[in-house]
Amino acid sequence: MASVPSLAATVNQRVADALSAALPEAAGADPLLRRSDRADFQANGMLALAKKLKGNPRELAGQVVERLNGLDAEIAEIEVSGPGFLNITVTDAAIMRTLTARAADDRLGVPLAEQPGTTVIDYSQPNVAKEMHVGHLRSTVIGDAVMRILEHRGENVVRRHHIGDWGTQFGMLIQYLIEHPHELDHKSDGQDSQGGEGSESGEAAMSRLNRLYKASRALFDSDEEFKTRARDRVVQLQGGDKETLDLWHKIVDESKIYFQAVYDKLDVEIRDEDVVGESAYNDSLQQVVADLESSGVAVRSDGALCVFFDDVKGPDGNPTPLIVQKSNGGFGYAATDLAAIRDRVGNLHADTLLYVVDARQALHFKMVFETARRAGWLPEGAARQLAFGTVLGKDGKPFKTREGETVRLVDLLDEAVQRAETVVREKARDLTDEEINERAAQVGIGAVKYADLSTSMSRDYVFDLDRMVSLNGDTSVYLQYAYARIQSILRKAAERGLTPVAQEEPALAPAERALGLHLDEFSQTLEAVAETYEPHKLAAYLYGLATHFTGFYEQCPVLRAEDARTVGNRLFLCELTARTLREGMALLGIRTPDRL
Ligand code: ARG
């Protein structure tokens, strides 16, 4: 395991060294090297530096050129341009050297974080007894990717699925179950009566819960006496009454069967031990309230325990408080989140808390974080909401069914897989039905994930399956095809006994250089993505990689290249591209089938 500096970093250092040799006052200055269209790189740090030192930027740049021209193993050409930029072209040998070092490393030369910390990431938090919808898709997919990217860097990541498993609605559901004890029985569901597995039993569990929900809701709304009994049941639940708790467990377990089926379909791993729902914090809520009140962070207002903020006001101009405890003594969403922060910082020793939650909850988190900070439970800046935008329909409005209902996540995933099947079937003639189904799932689910991850998370996006499963453009299918194409080249090469070997003194074609320089940017991309929690930058990098590969493939014959050394070198580029694509896609939670 060795971290490999990118060529950009190496050349930047060379220029910095030359700068400080030319001008001791310039020591430590950053030449600001960037990729460029004019040459491989351009450095424009000389401009600001010369200004600061009251010198002439072109002269300064000229001195750097003198020191580097012809004297450096990496730099083939360096020249001053414009008001004092440096245009730099690197040698082909330097490109192959850095790629060889990457290829020799399991991690493709990507460094581990120097000082890994502990991050608790709160994501994929569906609600018990309710369907999962597109909002839960985003939280799950983004959270999964961020979690993988951080773990890959060596961060200690603790996953928390803060599921909605507590609240007054459980009084209604449980009371109904007590009065209709067979409501959740596996009757009449037919297909899974022998304890079937997977999505069928998940769907069956959800339909039982739906039935329970609808029936109890109807009674709750129509029968005052039932309503009273349901409210009393909440008190029993909170008081820990055994029969009540048992039924509550039954409902939660039934929901977990359903969630798991959705997660299987989505191809994400959610571990039971990481599902720590709202109910897990029940025992610490009293303490939260007591501490907030005694420290004066929260005050009683009309009986409720509230925290006020100067900059949070309602439309009427009156301050909108965070309500920690209602006037009837009940705890809400805020109290649970505060208790969770204490647990995550105090017991799990988190340095960073991430919340992958809909942007529409931004005010809630702003107030919760500020409250925890005032209470001394949360260091300034340690918590951050990774707020995501809304999934829109083609009409540009929040995604709904034609009947105006929220779209069930499972329906949407099923449709994506179906569309993908058409695409896969068209392309692959020699695949069995079983293979087609497997590929369709990988392509369809990949398409949904990629569409979500490739736009900056704070933005809304339109859920458009036609675009998502398209073979052209910025889609996962395009990336998966690039990967599969490379695998096919590598298979053919192996059949002919040809092996990938990087050349030490190559003469690279422009498309090879472009591909090589892009491959070399993988680790710096990942570092930036992990620091800013922006998976879309990884997606953009991978799309760029596939595009560079396409250019290379069109311009540079691989197996039919002019000589054996060129064949070896091109195979090497193919293989490294495939490994980089595979690794990058895996970090986004997307599969790369070997054949498509
Ligand atoms: N269950 C909530 C929902 O479906 C999301 C929970 C977000 N996490 C949290 N710690 N509040 O909207």
Side-chain angles (χ1 to χ4, degrees):
M1 213 161 51
S3 114
V4 177
S6 65
L7 253 184
T10 307
V11 172
N12 200 52
Q13 190 55 52
R14 296 276 193 282
V15 177
D17 292 346
L19 248 180
S20 56
L23 199 68
E25 303 98 288
D30 187 347
L32 300 176
L33 193 82
R34 300 278 175 277
R35 285 300 305 281
S36 141
D37 301 334
R38 306 274 181 91
D40 293 332
F41 299 102
Q42 185 168 75
N44 54 24
M46 265 51 62
L47 294 185
L49 190 64
K51 197 168 170 198
K52 200 174 104 198
L53 302 176
K54 307 212 180 336
N56 176 331
R58 277 193 70 94
E59 244 166 58
L60 184 56
Q63 283 173 300
V64 172
V65 168
E66 248 167 63
R67 272 165 215 272
L68 287 175
N69 225 347
L71 293 176
D72 188 273
E74 270 75 31
I75 298 172
E77 227 178 284
I78 176 165
E79 58 177 31
V80 182
S81 96
F85 304 130
L86 289 175
N87 285 343
I88 301 171
T89 304
V90 294
T91 62
D92 292 351
I95 296 179
M96 291 316 298
R97 256 200 315 277
T98 183
L99 298 185
T100 303
R102 290 199 184 285
D105 181 45
D106 276 352
R107 297 175 51 86
L108 299 167
V110 180
L112 289 162
E114 273 166 32
Q115 290 175 315
T118 295
T119 295
V120 174
I121 178 166
D122 182 317
Y123 71 103
S124 195
Q125 320 94 335
N127 301 311
V128 163
K130 298 219 179 102
E131 293 273 4
M132 288 177 76
H133 55 70
V134 280
H136 300 125
L137 168 76
R138 296 218 69 184
S139 176
T140 305
V141 168
I142 296 169
D144 185 56
V146 171
M147 178 274 288
R148 286 163 184 266
I149 290 163
L150 294 179
E151 274 189 353
H152 181 258
R153 279 204 96 193
E155 179 79 0
N156 173 32
V157 184
V158 183
R159 317 174 196 180
R160 280 293 174 264
H161 308 294
H162 196 84
I163 62 170
D165 62 355
W166 203 247
T168 48
Q169 76 276 19
F170 286 96
M172 173 182 97
L173 299 172
I174 294 168
Q175 187 59 30
Y176 191 89
L177 265 186
I178 288 179
E179 296 173 21
H180 305 80
H182 300 296
E183 189 60 32
L184 271 189
D185 287 356
H186 299 207
K187 59 183 175 194
S188 70
D189 295 317
Q191 76 258 53
D192 75 326
S193 50
Q194 311 97 12
E197 265 190 336
S199 64
E200 269 175 17
S201 60
E203 287 279 307
M206 192 63 234
S207 77
R208 285 193 291 273
L209 287 165
N210 267 334
R211 209 167 53 206
L212 168 67
Y213 193 90
K214 284 201 186 113
S216 57
R217 182 90 235 174
L219 200 57
F220 188 86
D221 290 338
S222 63
D223 182 337
E224 281 304 315
E225 283 171 18
F226 177 74
K227 202 180 235 173
T228 311
R229 292 199 296 280
R231 294 217 168 112
D232 292 343
R233 188 54 60 187
V234 179
V235 180
Q236 303 266 30
L237 179 63
Q238 285 166 349
D241 170 65
K242 169 113 175 35
E243 184 196 13
T244 310
L245 271 182
D246 284 349
L247 288 171
W248 171 77
H249 269 297
K250 199 168 167 185
I251 298 174
V252 173
D253 289 345
E254 196 81 64
S255 274
K256 283 189 180 168
I257 294 176
Y258 162 72
F259 295 154
Q260 202 52 57
V262 180
Y263 291 138
D264 286 348
K265 202 168 272 198
L266 243 190
D267 191 19
V268 289
E269 182 208 36
I270 301 287
R271 305 178 302 210
D272 208 43
E273 71 260 33
D274 302 325
V275 179
V276 181
E278 295 177 18
S279 66
Y281 303 97
N282 284 340
D283 293 344
S284 26
L285 300 181
Q286 288 297 355
Q287 197 62 48
V288 164
V289 163
D291 291 350
L292 287 178
E293 201 168 5
S294 68
S295 63
V297 171
V299 292
R300 289 280 162 193
S301 167
D302 293 331
L305 188 68
C306 301
V307 183
F308 288 93
F309 308 87
D310 289 342
D311 56 346
V312 186
K313 296 200 171 74
D316 54 2
N318 290 327
T320 311
L322 181 76
I323 300 179
V324 183
Q325 189 176 29
K326 292 179 245 175
S327 52
N328 69 2
F331 302 104
Y333 194 47
T336 319
D337 268 325
L338 287 165
I341 289 180
R342 291 184 95 171
D343 179 51
R344 291 168 189 186
V345 176
N347 302 326
L348 300 174
H349 308 293
D351 310 297
T352 308
L353 302 184
L354 299 177
Y355 293 78
V356 188
V357 184
D358 195 310
R360 286 168 288 193
Q361 294 189 29
L363 183 59
H364 165 77
F365 283 107
K366 176 183 145 110
M367 297 198 288
V368 165
F369 296 162
E370 172 61 12
T371 301
R373 193 197 59 77
R374 288 183 193 169
W377 303 336
L378 179 69
E380 175 98 53
R384 171 159 167 186
Q385 183 189 0
L386 301 184
F388 53 79
T390 306
V391 180
L392 308 173
K394 282 192 188 161
D395 57 1
K397 301 209 184 93
F399 201 30
K400 293 273 157 66
T401 62
R402 251 174 254 128
E403 292 74 36
E405 284 171 31
T406 41
V407 182
R408 284 165 20 108
L409 182 51
V410 269
D411 292 343
L412 206 132
L413 297 179
D414 285 344
E415 198 183 337
V417 173
Q418 242 170 38
R419 297 282 185 101
E421 194 194 311
T422 319
V423 177
V424 173
R425 219 174 258 286
E426 254 166 43
K427 277 261 165 181
R429 303 242 153 62
D430 51 346
L431 294 180
T432 65
D433 271 356
E434 196 184 319
E435 287 171 319
I436 288 184
N437 289 338
E438 193 194 326
R439 306 288 192 290
Q442 296 177 336
V443 169
I445 297 301
V448 171
K449 288 184 179 178
Y450 188 85
D452 198 301
L453 293 169
S454 58
T455 29
S456 147
M457 71 176 85
S458 60
R459 290 178 48 192
D460 301 344
Y461 73 90
V462 174
F463 197 90
D464 178 355
L465 277 176
D466 295 326
R467 196 183 56 79
M468 288 179 192
V469 299
S470 159
L471 292 172
N472 301 308
D474 188 6
T475 64
S476 64
V477 197
Y478 175 69
L479 302 185
Q480 287 169 324
Y481 263 108
Y483 180 81
R485 168 173 291 160
I486 299 175
Q487 292 308 315
S488 137
I489 298 171
L490 294 173
R491 276 194 302 272
K492 276 190 203 133
E495 279 162 24
R496 298 181 202 173
L498 302 169
T499 39
V501 191
Q503 249 181 288
E504 278 170 32
E505 292 298 333
L508 299 178
E512 291 175 297
R513 307 186 90 251
L515 176 62
L517 286 169
H518 195 80
L519 279 168
D520 192 40
E521 283 172 32
F522 186 52
S523 70
Q524 76 206 54
T525 304
L526 274 186
E527 250 173 292
V529 165
E531 264 159 36
T532 57
Y533 311 115
E534 291 179 306
H536 76 276
K537 292 199 171 148
L538 175 55
Y541 170 83
L542 295 171
Y543 177 56
L545 182 56
T547 310
H548 280 299
F549 180 78
T550 307
F552 158 80
Y553 184 72
E554 280 163 7
Q555 286 155 45
C556 306
V558 178
L559 298 176
R560 259 173 269 134
E562 52 274 19
D563 57 75
R565 289 168 60 176
T566 309
V567 173
N569 201 56
R570 288 183 180 164
L571 282 173
F572 170 87
L573 287 173
C574 285
E575 190 171 54
L576 188 61
T577 302
R579 282 176 62 192
T580 307
L581 273 175
R582 184 182 183 84
E583 178 97 342
M585 291 288 264
L587 289 172
L588 296 178
I590 302 174
R591 305 265 172 188
T592 37
D594 283 344
R595 289 169 204 261
L596 264 182

